[in-house]
Amino acid sequence: MFRATLKSLLARKVRLILSGLAVVLGVMFVSGAFVLTDTLGRSFDAVFADAYEGIDVNVAGKPKVALSEAEGEQVAVPIPAATLEKVRAVPGATEVTGVVATDGARLIGSNGKVVTSFGPPQLGENWLGESDLVRLREGRGPKADDEIVVNASLAQAAKVKVGDRVGVLTLQPKKEFTLVGVFGYSGDRDSIGGVNEVAFTTGVAQQLMLGERDVFNSITVKTADGVTDERLRDDIARALGADYEVKTGEQLSADASAGLKEGLSFFNKVLLGFAAVALLVGTFLILNTFSIIVAQRTRELALMRAIGASGRQIIGSVVLEAVMVGLIASVLGLAAGIGVGALLAYLFGKLAGGLSLAGIGVPPAAVIGAFAVGLLITVVAALLPALRASRIPPIAAMQDVATPDRPLTKVTVAGGIVTAIGGTLLFLGLSGNAGGSTLAVILGGVLFAFIGVALLTPLISRPVVALLGSIFAWSVPGKLGRLNSGRNPRRTAITAAALMVGIALVTGVTVILDSAKGSISALAEDRIKAELVIAGSQTGPRPPSFDPTVLERAAAIPGVQLVDGEYGDMAVVNGDRTWVAASSNVAALERIFGAKATAGDISRLGPEQMLLSSDTAKSRNLTVGSPVTVQLSRGAARTYTVSGIYESSQLTNPVVLPAQAVRDFAIPQPIQGFVQLAPGARVADVQPKVETLLADSPEVSVADRAAFIKQQTSQLDTPLRMIQILLALAIVIAVLGIINTLALSVLERTRELGLLRAIGLRRAQTMRMITVEAVVISIFGALLGVVVGTGLGAAVVRALKDEGITDLVLPWGQMALFLGLAAVIGVIAAVLPAIRAARINVLGAIAHD
């Protein structure tokens, strides 16, 4: 039986290769995700090991408000210079050094634009001289207050050289400095982990990066001979008390690397999610392939039954074929995944500013995942055809067996049940009734919904395909293609379902994001009563900011009625972390954002008062007059009194603090500005004057309200494009499915094609017939995808109504594009099967059994 199975497999190797490709692509994503995260994880381990190599023990202040990696760089806590003496007094402590090194120093390049960072921090620090790690390549260290040095990668990105006068943005507005040196690192590296570094004299670094003189944000300590790092760490911790975090260099390295790995784990999950989609589509392809092969081998399998093979042996034969296909596909997918993981790691390193990559490694998870997934998917997809094969009666060996349509009752009932389960799970997840497993419940609902729709598809395939095929029925090849595409509803349905999954997911995501953009645009157009907005696009952990004096000078421009600057920070409010804001002109809450008071007075705000949105007040059980304790990123905790409550909206912040609180914000500069014009004033007259005021704030620009809204909503285009690109893999697999189905169908209909050719069907007509069949199946799958995707997207939008997505926007243009793309996909998929059908030898085909 094994030899017979092997011969059967080798006889159909081309057909099974197409099915195996689907598994290869899915496994490639799985193994590539693990290779990528392993490579980057080890690279970050090496980077931080180097960065903290010269540190035995480090002292830092405990953060006022803890931030995750996704929320940005942790705000440094100033340590008084006197603390250094306390550390020096601890036995075993030598070479105690005060360090200033915190995110937020943005160098202005030779082109007048700020050098941006897409992830790594932009450190402003005090120059501590050369060391085993740091080496000057040009010039010298800074000595005067208007001198700086930068690392080589930043000098290259900014296109600046020693002797240039350059601008730097920090906690304070733009300052001019002379570049007196460029430094690099051991191993001829231009940066460590893509970090941009600007080094000042110690006093200037303290003032610009920490906001005050005679403070540091960390203290590094060398351990004396005979004292372990751990012992010195514990001794220093006891000497300084609970307000400080004392760690060894190894702990610092491990903690820093772990924080980045947390972000990588999310990226890993995203890639695995797309791998799951690819494998789901591949399951349809493999199921269809084995179903067709079993149908074509009916007489062969019946003959085997007649000569003594049991049903279990027949099942084993088909499953063995699946195992061999899955095994080969897993090996190829693992190899492709290693290559893809290495390529993505290389690209990530480039985007991160030249991250030095560790050697490409293949973690056990990549190997185990590749073979487990590849084999599991292939075997599961082959089980139903295997069971069907085991039920073939021996008498079929003596008959001219066709493959009659089976009743659709069972599959329709099963599809209805599975779809109902999917709908129930989606309802529970989207309505917030899934407990702590909301994401898992929603994903399960989507999976069941897709499988349920796929099971129901045969019921509607024949009438819908007949309707679609009528478009091409004006010619004989068109009529034949239409009839062929509808002759086997199950096969057509499974082939179309593969394309449906990819198109449905793209359509659903597009509906959600377009609805979000439409809702934000409509709300902003209705509620923002400012004609001009000052803002920038955030490209790193810090939002762009500008000089607060711009607000005062803008208010003095003729034609300007009201100017408001908006500040933001993450804070701890009565023990809970939340986003807080401050306004330079609290009257803007009503006059610019249209907020309505529900209690108290929201038109003014004293230095010890605060305003709350109605949702925040309700959820925290606060009323006008309630005392609230607020801990900002800097300074001590303060108690404010609620003086007003306003109606919640997507454009208003949950908590508004007085302008005096801004000095303790992580970024004590406005991140947005709103300019309301007086009646009769023209935007064209005022906008250029505001632009002039922003000459020293190159991170931001001024735009009219429509352009600002478009800028804000366009940020949703990037994730949409990424999702569309990744889901294109599912569509590629669906194309393979159509090619496979048509190729197997051509083999199955060899005699029929020979007879058609014999009675006058020309080669070109044969090719058109196959093409029509492919196009009809493709459009049917795309149509299903558009309908299902629109339904899923609309359900999510409805569930997010309370989150501000109130307008359902259907992307009609994108839907039409998907249907048009489906027609093109059908034509492409038909090329090889059509050529093969046209080349069939007529006499040989007529004699084909």
Side-chain angles (χ1 to χ4, degrees), residues 94-111:
T94 64
E95 295 185 35
V96 178
T97 306
V99 177
V100 177
T102 184
D103 188 22
R106 292 95 70 205
L107 186 73
I108 300 173
S110 59
N111 59 359

Side-chain angles (χ1 to χ4, degrees), residues 482-543:
R482 176 178 65 85
L483 293 172
N484 288 334
S485 59
R487 69 197 297 178
N488 193 322
R490 293 172 184 266
R491 183 182 304 175
T492 298
I494 294 174
T495 306
L499 185 59
M500 173 200 72
V501 173
I503 297 292
L505 288 172
V506 173
T507 303
V509 171
T510 305
V511 168
I512 295 168
L513 293 183
D514 280 4
S515 297
K517 290 168 63 176
S519 300
I520 293 170
S521 297
L523 182 64
E525 285 285 355
D526 180 58
R527 301 294 289 271
I528 294 180
K529 304 303 181 184
E531 287 78 10
L532 294 172
V533 182
I534 302 169
S537 296
Q538 186 169 346
T539 59
R542 291 174 55 94

Side-chain angles (χ1 to χ4, degrees), residues 234-245:
D234 296 342
D235 290 346
I236 292 174
R238 280 192 294 271
L240 296 183
D243 292 335
Y244 293 89
E245 291 182 339

Side-chain angles (χ1 to χ4, degrees), residues 747-801:
L747 288 174
E748 188 178 49
R749 290 152 40 199
T750 298
R751 188 175 185 184
E752 174 188 322
L753 291 170
L755 289 171
L756 288 172
R757 290 292 311 284
I759 62 176
L761 193 69
R762 297 188 300 276
R763 287 188 174 184
Q765 290 178 310
T766 303
M767 295 179 71
R768 285 206 302 273
M769 177 184 70
I770 300 297
T771 301
V772 167
E773 185 176 350
V775 169
V776 168
I777 293 173
S778 294
I779 294 178
F780 176 49
L783 188 61
L784 277 175
V786 167
V787 172
V788 172
T790 301
L792 289 174
V796 173
V797 170
R798 177 67 183 83
L800 295 176
K801 185 176 181 180

Side-chain angles (χ1 to χ4, degrees), residues 578-579 589 595-599 602 610-623 642 644-656:
T578 189
W579 180 261
L589 197 61
K596 298 178 180 178
T598 60
I602 66 170
M610 68 188 303
L611 304 177
L612 298 177
S613 69
S614 54
D615 286 347
T616 304
K618 182 179 179 181
S619 64
R620 296 171 184 263
N621 197 28
L622 298 172
T623 60
V642 178
I645 298 174
Y646 50 88
E647 186 178 12
S648 297
S649 124
Q650 297 303 309
L651 293 180
T652 53
N653 289 290
V655 178
V656 176

Side-chain angles (χ1 to χ4, degrees), residues 1-8 317 320 324:
M1 199 68 187
F2 175 79
R3 289 196 298 272
T5 301
L6 186 60
K7 283 189 175 183
S8 174
S317 174
L320 180 60
M324 296 178 74

